[in-house]
mmCIF file of all heavy atoms in Angstrom:
data_model
loop_
_atom_site.group_PDB
_atom_site.id
_atom_site.type_symbol
_atom_site.label_atom_id
_atom_site.label_comp_id
_atom_site.label_asym_id
_atom_site.label_seq_id
_atom_site.Cartn_x
_atom_site.Cartn_y
_atom_site.Cartn_z
ATOM 1 N N SER A 88 -9.168 20.173 20.134
ATOM 2 C CA SER A 88 -8.531 19.896 18.835
ATOM 3 C C SER A 88 -8.779 18.460 18.383
ATOM 4 O O SER A 88 -9.076 18.213 17.214
ATOM 5 C CB SER A 88 -7.027 20.163 18.910
ATOM 6 O OG SER A 88 -6.776 21.526 19.155
ATOM 7 N N ILE A 89 -8.647 17.525 19.311
ATOM 8 C CA ILE A 89 -8.852 16.111 18.981
ATOM 9 C C ILE A 89 -10.291 15.889 18.501
ATOM 10 O O ILE A 89 -10.520 15.287 17.449
ATOM 11 C CB ILE A 89 -8.528 15.205 20.190
ATOM 12 C CG1 ILE A 89 -7.025 15.274 20.492
ATOM 13 C CG2 ILE A 89 -8.984 13.770 19.934
ATOM 14 C CD1 ILE A 89 -6.620 14.639 21.808
ATOM 15 N N HIS A 90 -11.255 16.395 19.256
ATOM 16 C CA HIS A 90 -12.664 16.224 18.865
ATOM 17 C C HIS A 90 -12.960 16.919 17.542
ATOM 18 O O HIS A 90 -13.696 16.384 16.710
ATOM 19 C CB HIS A 90 -13.603 16.721 19.965
ATOM 20 C CG HIS A 90 -13.652 15.808 21.141
ATOM 21 N ND1 HIS A 90 -14.192 14.548 21.095
ATOM 22 C CD2 HIS A 90 -13.194 15.964 22.404
ATOM 23 C CE1 HIS A 90 -14.079 13.961 22.266
ATOM 24 N NE2 HIS A 90 -13.467 14.798 23.094
ATOM 25 N N LYS A 91 -12.384 18.099 17.337
ATOM 26 C CA LYS A 91 -12.605 18.811 16.082
ATOM 27 C C LYS A 91 -12.083 17.992 14.906
ATOM 28 O O LYS A 91 -12.771 17.834 13.895
ATOM 29 C CB LYS A 91 -11.924 20.178 16.110
ATOM 30 C CG LYS A 91 -12.147 20.979 14.846
ATOM 31 C CD LYS A 91 -11.521 22.362 14.953
ATOM 32 C CE LYS A 91 -11.809 23.159 13.695
ATOM 33 N NZ LYS A 91 -11.250 24.509 13.761
ATOM 34 N N GLY A 92 -10.861 17.456 15.018
ATOM 35 C CA GLY A 92 -10.285 16.654 13.941
ATOM 36 C C GLY A 92 -11.124 15.426 13.624
ATOM 37 O O GLY A 92 -11.390 15.114 12.459
ATOM 38 N N LEU A 93 -11.564 14.734 14.661
ATOM 39 C CA LEU A 93 -12.382 13.535 14.450
ATOM 40 C C LEU A 93 -13.766 13.896 13.908
ATOM 41 O O LEU A 93 -14.282 13.221 13.021
ATOM 42 C CB LEU A 93 -12.481 12.736 15.748
ATOM 43 C CG LEU A 93 -11.158 12.135 16.233
ATOM 44 C CD1 LEU A 93 -11.320 11.532 17.627
ATOM 45 C CD2 LEU A 93 -10.606 11.109 15.253
ATOM 46 N N ASP A 94 -14.353 14.967 14.418
ATOM 47 C CA ASP A 94 -15.667 15.405 13.928
ATOM 48 C C ASP A 94 -15.613 15.836 12.471
ATOM 49 O O ASP A 94 -16.599 15.700 11.741
ATOM 50 C CB ASP A 94 -16.211 16.556 14.779
ATOM 51 C CG ASP A 94 -16.670 16.119 16.162
ATOM 52 O OD1 ASP A 94 -16.801 14.894 16.397
ATOM 53 O OD2 ASP A 94 -16.870 17.003 17.022
ATOM 54 N N MET A 95 -14.461 16.338 12.038
ATOM 55 C CA MET A 95 -14.313 16.777 10.642
ATOM 56 C C MET A 95 -14.094 15.600 9.695
ATOM 57 O O MET A 95 -14.105 15.781 8.485
ATOM 58 C CB MET A 95 -13.162 17.766 10.516
ATOM 59 C CG MET A 95 -13.453 19.110 11.152
ATOM 60 S SD MET A 95 -12.066 20.256 11.017
ATOM 61 C CE MET A 95 -12.066 20.558 9.246
ATOM 62 N N GLY A 96 -13.865 14.404 10.254
ATOM 63 C CA GLY A 96 -13.758 13.232 9.404
ATOM 64 C C GLY A 96 -12.440 12.496 9.438
ATOM 65 O O GLY A 96 -12.240 11.563 8.664
ATOM 66 N N ALA A 97 -11.528 12.885 10.340
ATOM 67 C CA ALA A 97 -10.283 12.114 10.465
ATOM 68 C C ALA A 97 -10.624 10.723 10.988
ATOM 69 O O ALA A 97 -11.530 10.558 11.809
ATOM 70 C CB ALA A 97 -9.308 12.809 11.408
ATOM 71 N N ASP A 98 -9.909 9.730 10.506
ATOM 72 C CA ASP A 98 -10.141 8.352 10.953
ATOM 73 C C ASP A 98 -9.426 8.056 12.261
ATOM 74 O O ASP A 98 -9.818 7.149 12.989
ATOM 75 C CB ASP A 98 -9.666 7.382 9.867
ATOM 76 C CG ASP A 98 -10.506 7.516 8.621
ATOM 77 O OD1 ASP A 98 -11.648 7.043 8.636
ATOM 78 O OD2 ASP A 98 -10.032 8.125 7.638
ATOM 79 N N ASP A 99 -8.369 8.809 12.536
ATOM 80 C CA ASP A 99 -7.615 8.610 13.771
ATOM 81 C C ASP A 99 -6.871 9.898 14.070
ATOM 82 O O ASP A 99 -6.737 10.774 13.204
ATOM 83 C CB ASP A 99 -6.642 7.440 13.629
ATOM 84 C CG ASP A 99 -6.418 6.683 14.928
ATOM 85 O OD1 ASP A 99 -6.548 7.294 16.009
ATOM 86 O OD2 ASP A 99 -6.102 5.483 14.867
ATOM 87 N N TYR A 100 -6.357 10.008 15.293
ATOM 88 C CA TYR A 100 -5.714 11.239 15.746
ATOM 89 C C TYR A 100 -4.603 10.829 16.701
ATOM 90 O O TYR A 100 -4.880 10.367 17.805
ATOM 91 C CB TYR A 100 -6.756 12.107 16.444
ATOM 92 C CG TYR A 100 -6.373 13.557 16.626
ATOM 93 C CD1 TYR A 100 -6.969 14.546 15.852
ATOM 94 C CD2 TYR A 100 -5.446 13.942 17.592
ATOM 95 C CE1 TYR A 100 -6.650 15.891 16.023
ATOM 96 C CE2 TYR A 100 -5.123 15.271 17.764
ATOM 97 C CZ TYR A 100 -5.728 16.244 16.986
ATOM 98 O OH TYR A 100 -5.402 17.569 17.159
ATOM 99 N N ILE A 101 -3.366 10.964 16.278
ATOM 100 C CA ILE A 101 -2.210 10.585 17.086
ATOM 101 C C ILE A 101 -1.461 11.854 17.467
ATOM 102 O O ILE A 101 -1.141 12.671 16.611
ATOM 103 C CB ILE A 101 -1.281 9.630 16.314
ATOM 104 C CG1 ILE A 101 -2.052 8.363 15.896
ATOM 105 C CG2 ILE A 101 -0.054 9.269 17.143
ATOM 106 C CD1 ILE A 101 -1.301 7.478 14.934
ATOM 107 N N THR A 102 -1.199 12.006 18.762
ATOM 108 C CA THR A 102 -0.543 13.223 19.219
ATOM 109 C C THR A 102 0.962 13.024 19.399
ATOM 110 O O THR A 102 1.430 11.949 19.743
ATOM 111 C CB THR A 102 -1.158 13.715 20.537
ATOM 112 O OG1 THR A 102 -1.054 12.700 21.522
ATOM 113 C CG2 THR A 102 -2.618 14.096 20.343
ATOM 114 N N LYS A 103 1.693 14.122 19.121
ATOM 115 C CA LYS A 103 3.142 14.148 19.306
ATOM 116 C C LYS A 103 3.437 14.422 20.782
ATOM 117 O O LYS A 103 2.716 15.184 21.401
ATOM 118 C CB LYS A 103 3.765 15.263 18.454
ATOM 119 C CG LYS A 103 3.601 15.073 16.973
ATOM 120 C CD LYS A 103 4.144 16.287 16.228
ATOM 121 C CE LYS A 103 3.911 16.180 14.724
ATOM 122 N NZ LYS A 103 4.317 17.397 14.011
ATOM 123 N N PRO A 104 4.467 13.825 21.342
ATOM 124 C CA PRO A 104 5.347 12.847 20.698
ATOM 125 C C PRO A 104 4.639 11.504 20.604
ATOM 126 O O PRO A 104 3.907 11.110 21.495
ATOM 127 C CB PRO A 104 6.543 12.768 21.644
ATOM 128 C CG PRO A 104 5.993 13.112 22.985
ATOM 129 C CD PRO A 104 4.875 14.087 22.726
ATOM 130 N N PHE A 105 4.850 10.811 19.491
ATOM 131 C CA PHE A 105 4.213 9.515 19.286
ATOM 132 C C PHE A 105 5.294 8.451 19.169
ATOM 133 O O PHE A 105 6.461 8.746 18.964
ATOM 134 C CB PHE A 105 3.318 9.512 18.047
ATOM 135 C CG PHE A 105 3.950 10.155 16.844
ATOM 136 C CD1 PHE A 105 4.880 9.473 16.076
ATOM 137 C CD2 PHE A 105 3.613 11.447 16.486
ATOM 138 C CE1 PHE A 105 5.456 10.065 14.964
ATOM 139 C CE2 PHE A 105 4.179 12.047 15.379
ATOM 140 C CZ PHE A 105 5.114 11.356 14.614
ATOM 141 N N THR A 106 4.852 7.207 19.314
ATOM 142 C CA THR A 106 5.791 6.084 19.236
ATOM 143 C C THR A 106 5.665 5.384 17.885
ATOM 144 O O THR A 106 4.642 5.511 17.203
ATOM 145 C CB THR A 106 5.514 5.048 20.340
ATOM 146 O OG1 THR A 106 4.214 4.481 20.123
ATOM 147 C CG2 THR A 106 5.605 5.674 21.728
ATOM 148 N N HIS A 107 6.697 4.657 17.564
ATOM 149 C CA HIS A 107 6.718 3.811 16.380
ATOM 150 C C HIS A 107 5.504 2.893 16.390
ATOM 151 O O HIS A 107 4.785 2.763 15.400
ATOM 152 C CB HIS A 107 8.048 3.032 16.401
ATOM 153 C CG HIS A 107 8.211 2.026 15.342
ATOM 154 N ND1 HIS A 107 8.033 0.685 15.566
ATOM 155 C CD2 HIS A 107 8.565 2.147 14.033
ATOM 156 C CE1 HIS A 107 8.264 0.020 14.441
ATOM 157 N NE2 HIS A 107 8.585 0.878 13.501
ATOM 158 N N ALA A 108 5.251 2.267 17.534
ATOM 159 C CA ALA A 108 4.140 1.318 17.658
ATOM 160 C C ALA A 108 2.791 2.000 17.433
ATOM 161 O O ALA A 108 1.910 1.437 16.768
ATOM 162 C CB ALA A 108 4.167 0.645 19.031
ATOM 163 N N ALA A 109 2.607 3.206 17.967
ATOM 164 C CA ALA A 109 1.329 3.905 17.803
ATOM 165 C C ALA A 109 1.049 4.191 16.334
ATOM 166 O O ALA A 109 -0.073 3.991 15.854
ATOM 167 C CB ALA A 109 1.332 5.211 18.601
ATOM 168 N N VAL A 110 2.064 4.632 15.616
ATOM 169 C CA VAL A 110 1.891 4.927 14.188
ATOM 170 C C VAL A 110 1.603 3.643 13.418
ATOM 171 O O VAL A 110 0.656 3.583 12.629
ATOM 172 C CB VAL A 110 3.126 5.655 13.627
ATOM 173 C CG1 VAL A 110 3.034 5.794 12.114
ATOM 174 C CG2 VAL A 110 3.286 7.027 14.282
ATOM 175 N N LEU A 111 2.399 2.612 13.628
ATOM 176 C CA LEU A 111 2.210 1.362 12.884
ATOM 177 C C LEU A 111 0.881 0.692 13.208
ATOM 178 O O LEU A 111 0.230 0.151 12.314
ATOM 179 C CB LEU A 111 3.372 0.411 13.136
ATOM 180 C CG LEU A 111 4.693 0.849 12.525
ATOM 181 C CD1 LEU A 111 5.800 -0.142 12.851
ATOM 182 C CD2 LEU A 111 4.582 1.039 11.024
#
Side-chain angles (χ1 to χ4, degrees):
S88 296
I89 293 169
H90 287 292
K91 181 177 182 179
L93 294 172
D94 288 347
M95 290 179 68
D98 294 285
D99 212 332
Y100 197 107
I101 301 170
T102 58
K103 296 175 184 175
F105 45 79
T106 64
H107 175 258
V110 172
L111 291 179

